[in-house]
Amino acid sequence: EVEAPKPVLSQAEKPTPHRETNRPSGRDEALVMFKTEPTTEVFIDGKKRGSTPLELRLSPGRHQLKFVNQGLGFSRAQQVVLSPGEPAEVSFVARRSKLAIHVEPFAEMFVDGKSVTTQPKSFSEVELWDGRYLVKVSNQELGKAQEQNVEIKNGQDTEVRFNLFRQ
């Protein structure tokens, strides 16, 4: 079977490659160095771009960053605003700290919705990465619950107390 000849397009008829019209020229892009401890995957504006250490050219403006190490259970989100043509560095050392939860008389204990209840049910100690967490305690027998936002920072151990007798 003989294949029909393909039409030859003149230069005027050839499709032009797609170009992003709002994308800045290379010299407007910011050279950004990402350095983290522990090593993390880097997501920029929702797209995975690689693992640290990482050097990328990004368009100027605001970007949403997320750093993830699934094996260690680490995740951190932040924003960065880049200036045209200016180099930038995003770096951090994440630390783990202890959060001690005390509750009277006793309760189920949760950190960001995950149970951290131990025996006795009046105390629990968990190791967490620096960051913000929602701690909730709930006693179904008393029909009472309380919650508190807690920030763990700079590797400092933190303590939070709840008294379900007082509401």
Side-chain angles (χ1 to χ4, degrees), residues 66-82:
K66 187 169 184 181
F67 302 92
V68 177
N69 183 315
Q70 288 185 332
L72 296 176
F74 175 80
S75 178
R76 175 182 285 184
Q78 68 184 72
Q79 280 188 3
V80 66
V81 178
L82 302 173

Side-chain angles (χ1 to χ4, degrees), residues 9-42:
L9 298 176
S10 71
Q11 193 63 29
E13 295 174 306
K14 287 186 181 176
T16 56
H18 173 71
R19 291 197 176 110
E20 294 180 30
T21 54
N22 3 349
R23 189 165 190 256
S25 67
R27 69 171 181 252
D28 288 341
E29 291 180 329
L31 181 62
V32 185
M33 173 59 85
F34 297 93
K35 299 177 185 177
T36 66
E37 286 184 42
T39 299
T40 62
E41 294 177 320
V42 179

Side-chain angles (χ1 to χ4, degrees), residues 75-131:
S75 178
R76 175 182 285 184
Q78 68 184 72
Q79 280 188 3
V80 66
V81 178
L82 302 173
S83 298
E86 293 290 320
E89 183 175 295
V90 177
S91 63
F92 61 83
V93 176
R95 293 182 172 84
R96 290 178 68 94
S97 307
K98 289 183 180 146
L99 171 65
I101 304 168
H102 301 270
V103 61
E104 289 183 40
F106 59 90
E108 298 292 321
M109 294 168 257
F110 302 88
V111 175
D112 284 349
K114 181 181 176 188
S115 177
V116 294
T117 305
T118 58
Q119 296 296 333
K121 290 185 175 183
S122 59
F123 175 78
S124 184
E125 189 172 82
V126 290
E127 199 168 302
L128 300 169
W129 292 100
D130 289 350

Side-chain angles (χ1 to χ4, degrees), residues 104 144 146 162-167:
E104 289 183 40
K144 294 186 176 183
Q146 293 178 2
F162 296 93
N163 187 331
L164 294 176
F165 290 129
R166 290 187 242 140
Q167 192 85 1

